[in-house]
Structures are given as structure tokens and as C-alpha cells.
Amino acid sequence: MMPTPWRRCRLLAAACMFAAGPAIADTPGPATTALTQAGAKEDLELAIAAVEAAMPNIYWHQSRRAWAAAKSRARASVAGVTDSEGLWRIVRPLLGQIGEGHLSVQPSDAMNQRYRDAPRFPLDLLWTEQGAFVLAGYGTAADIAKGTRLVSVDGISDVELLREMVAVTPHDGVIRTGTMRDISGRGFAAMLYRLRGAQSRFHIVLDSPAGQTERNVIAVSRSARPPEGDDPTPLPMLEWLDSRTAYLNVPTFSNARMRAVGANLPDAIHALFGEIRQRGARDLILDLRENGGGSEPNESILFSYLVEKPLHKYAAVEARARHIAVTSLSGKLFETEVFDEDDKDQQRPIHNGRWARRNTAPHGLIVNRRGNGDRDRHVKGDHSRAVVLGDVGVGRSPEPTSPRTTSSLAAAATALSFGS
């Protein structure tokens, strides 16, 4: 089984109260990250209970012994936790080793405020399989040339830094590209702060055509970087490079992002492929480099326009239950329905209380379900070559948060089994 979230699946929201007091506090505390020992322990155990209750196969990328050992280490470490940052540094890598790309631990408002006010690493980086390369520098690092390779930070190599980042960012299995996308730009500075806390200076080793150099750079405030721009449009964009070559950029598969701009992806994709067909494109460049995933079956809908025959995508899609509940150490109940109302009739009960997806539209187990009428006509024959720009990464989906929590931990509640 492969534990991967799927379209409109509700995620189990476990209360990880990264704020003052234990997770069951009925009223929000002040904007502080202080945490009692009892609160830290309760949050850790609630996080563990949530993933163990929700995930169909928590041992996809780890053995039972490895998971038991990781929990023991986390429980031993939590005794020394005094604030939510310290708890995050225990919970986040514990969940990271599960290898499920939709597991995340959201920082509280107080944690985010501390980060906004804190000095941070002064380089923006592009992370690739070949290493980390400078995109921009600020303050004392402003003179570092774009394209310079970062070799190490405070004696830790780029290889080890990436390993640390993978451990605390959402990723599927051993796939690192989602992490590299998340920590590129100013993301590395943010995650380094999450891992280490505030630092005033950093010792870095750089590699450029002139050779390796070492230097100390000073942390910079948030204002040292230019303001972040608006989020790019989620709408797919079509550009004609010449009369026969179309360039299609699909930046997301997220229904939520599309709804926010009053659109839906299936209709948008259908319209663009209609134009591609009408204008007689022979070559297509499909750009997915910035696509972090989203809602199923949008990726299958896009794929269906590129093939002539249906693809049997899944052998099975299963959930452990229709309803999942966990209880905190102090007896507070957290529960969720796995399926939305309009998804329930697409499930059937199977063994051991599990539920499986029926092989019926609109989701089913087979790719090439574009809808009704003229949408069922294939467009593959109208163009001869397709180049796909992108990589294997992780998807993202919104995470529900309990009204009394300042942070949430989400766990996928379904599993997809691939087969022919």
C-alpha cells in the first residue's frame, strides 16, 4: 500500500497546541511559545495517536522496529522541552521518517511571530541535485555572486543540510524534490531558523570559478529582503511559441486555489486543449516545474488529454475507516469524517472495517475520465510531440485545524495501491 492523499479526502486534524498550556486549554493563551512539560507530552502523544489511527500503512517506508525506536527517542527528548519550538524539533522529524508527503506540523501564530521578528540566514538559494546555489545575498552577503555554490554552513555540508531539511519537510518516501522546492528561495532561511533558532552570524564556505572561500556573514532582519510578491495565479496558461508549438504551464492541481479565483481546473484544461486542437499544434511543452500537487483526479484529467487509451491507474484506493477519532492524555476527543458527503457514495465496505473506492466516475481507478459529451474525444492525435518540464515531487492540500488549536498535524487517511 502507498499512503498518499487523494482528492477531497478529509485529513485527520490532531491538536498540537504549540502555545502556552496543554493542548486542552479552552481559551487561547498569550502570544508566547512557552510550553509546560505536561502540555508538550500531551501534544507529542496526540500527534503519534493521530498518525497511527489515520494512516492505512505507517510502515510503508520504515519497519515496526524503526518506528518504535523513533517514538522512544521522541518521548525521552520531550522531557526537556520548554517551548513550542523545542517540541516542533521533536515532532517534525518523527513524522518525517514516515515518508508521507501530506504530513505537516503547522507553527502557531506565536512561533510565526517570533520568526518574523528574528534575524535570519542572509542568502536565498536554489537547491538542486547538484548542490545549493546562491540566488541573492543580503547585508554582509550582498556581494556574493549569483550562481556561487554553497558548500557548507557552520561546518555542515550541503549534503547533510539537505538531509536535515528533508527530515523536517513534507516528502514522499525518499523523494527529495519537494523539499528542494520548499527550501529554495528564502525557504532555506526559514527552515534553518526552525531547526536552530535565532543566530547572529554564520560561517559559510563557498565555491566559485575562483575557487573555495570561507567567510562569516551576519544574519539579516526581515526588512533586508524585498517584500514577497503576490502569489502567482493558479490558472493554467497557454502560450504559442510559433504556429505549431504550444507551451502550457499548469502551476497547480489544487481545487481550493482554483476556486479562490472563480475557476475549476477540469474546465480550464479542457478549454486550453480545445484551443491546442483548433490551432493544430504539433509540439507541446508541458511545464509542471512549479506544480506542488493538489486535488485528485486533476492530474489524471490532464494526463488523459495526452493519451489515446485509458490507463488503469490504481489497483485499489482504501481507507481504514469512514470515521477516525483519537483521545488526548487528558481525555479530550478529536475526530473527523474521512470522506466528504459527495464522496461517500463512491465507497464500498471491505474487510476489517476498511472502505474501498468504487471504480466509477468521476474518480474511479482508471485515467481518462474527462466527463461527458465532447470531452471524451481524444486530442492526442492532434499533436506529435510533448515535452514535460518538471520533477517527481509532493502534493499539497489544505489542512483543517481544530478551533482550539494554534497548530495542526494532518495525516492522510487513505492509501492508494498501484497496479495494472
Side-chain angles (χ1 to χ4, degrees), residues 249-314:
N249 181 9
V250 183
T252 186
F253 291 129
S254 169
N255 286 338
R257 290 185 61 190
M258 293 294 290
R259 282 195 299 268
V261 296
N264 72 78
L265 193 63
D267 286 347
I269 290 295
H270 181 65
L272 294 178
F273 272 95
E275 180 181 343
I276 290 171
R277 178 177 184 171
Q278 181 181 23
R279 293 184 57 169
R282 303 300 300 172
D283 302 316
L284 172 66
I285 299 172
L286 178 59
D287 192 344
L288 301 175
R289 288 175 295 180
E290 298 303 317
N291 192 313
S295 310
E296 201 197 6
N298 288 335
E299 80 292 344
S300 298
I301 291 172
L302 173 61
F303 182 72
S304 71
Y305 285 92
L306 305 175
V307 296
E308 294 180 347
K309 296 180 180 180
L311 170 69
H312 197 150
K313 181 178 180 182
Y314 301 127

Side-chain angles (χ1 to χ4, degrees), residues 319-323 348-356:
R320 291 186 64 173
R322 298 182 69 167
H323 179 85
R348 60 183 178 87
I350 55 174
H351 57 85
N352 297 330
R354 289 181 174 243
W355 289 76

Side-chain angles (χ1 to χ4, degrees), residues 172-307:
D172 283 324
V174 297
I175 299 171
R176 306 187 300 175
T177 49
T179 294
M180 289 188 285
R181 180 171 50 240
D182 288 344
I183 64 174
S184 286
R186 57 188 76 188
F188 176 76
M191 199 54 62
L192 193 64
Y193 171 82
R194 298 284 184 220
L195 280 169
R196 298 186 180 182
Q199 287 184 235
S200 60
R201 65 180 61 236
F202 305 86
H203 181 76
I204 60 175
V205 178
L206 303 168
D207 188 26
S208 69
Q212 284 199 0
T213 57
E214 298 187 29
R215 59 189 291 181
N216 292 317
V217 292
I218 307 300
V220 298
S221 65
R222 178 179 55 164
S223 62
R225 284 179 164 86
E228 294 191 63
D230 295 333
D231 289 337
T233 177
L235 294 171
M237 304 296 292
L238 180 65
E239 179 182 350
W240 290 89
L241 304 184
D242 57 41
S243 62
R244 291 296 206 179
T245 305
Y247 167 83
L248 176 59
N249 181 9
V250 183
T252 186
F253 291 129
S254 169
N255 286 338
R257 290 185 61 190
M258 293 294 290
R259 282 195 299 268
V261 296
N264 72 78
L265 193 63
D267 286 347
I269 290 295
H270 181 65
L272 294 178
F273 272 95
E275 180 181 343
I276 290 171
R277 178 177 184 171
Q278 181 181 23
R279 293 184 57 169
R282 303 300 300 172
D283 302 316
L284 172 66
I285 299 172
L286 178 59
D287 192 344
L288 301 175
R289 288 175 295 180
E290 298 303 317
N291 192 313
S295 310
E296 201 197 6
N298 288 335
E299 80 292 344
S300 298
I301 291 172
L302 173 61
F303 182 72
S304 71
Y305 285 92
L306 305 175
V307 296

Side-chain angles (χ1 to χ4, degrees), residues 126-133 149 158-159 162 166 174-178 180 391-392:
L126 173 66
W127 285 84
T128 73
E129 294 289 356
Q130 290 72 44
F133 299 89
R149 187 169 76 88
D158 57 343
V159 174
L162 180 57
V166 169
V174 297
I175 299 171
R176 306 187 300 175
T177 49
M180 289 188 285
D391 51 35
V392 180

Side-chain angles (χ1 to χ4, degrees), residues 118-164:
R120 60 202 69 180
F121 189 70
L123 292 174
D124 290 347
L125 302 168
L126 173 66
W127 285 84
T128 73
E129 294 289 356
Q130 290 72 44
F133 299 89
V134 174
L135 294 174
Y138 308 96
T140 58
D143 63 319
I144 299 175
K146 185 177 181 179
T148 301
R149 187 169 76 88
L150 178 69
V151 177
S152 67
V153 177
D154 294 332
I156 302 175
S157 71
D158 57 343
V159 174
E160 180 61 18
L161 285 169
L162 180 57
R163 188 198 67 78
E164 291 182 5

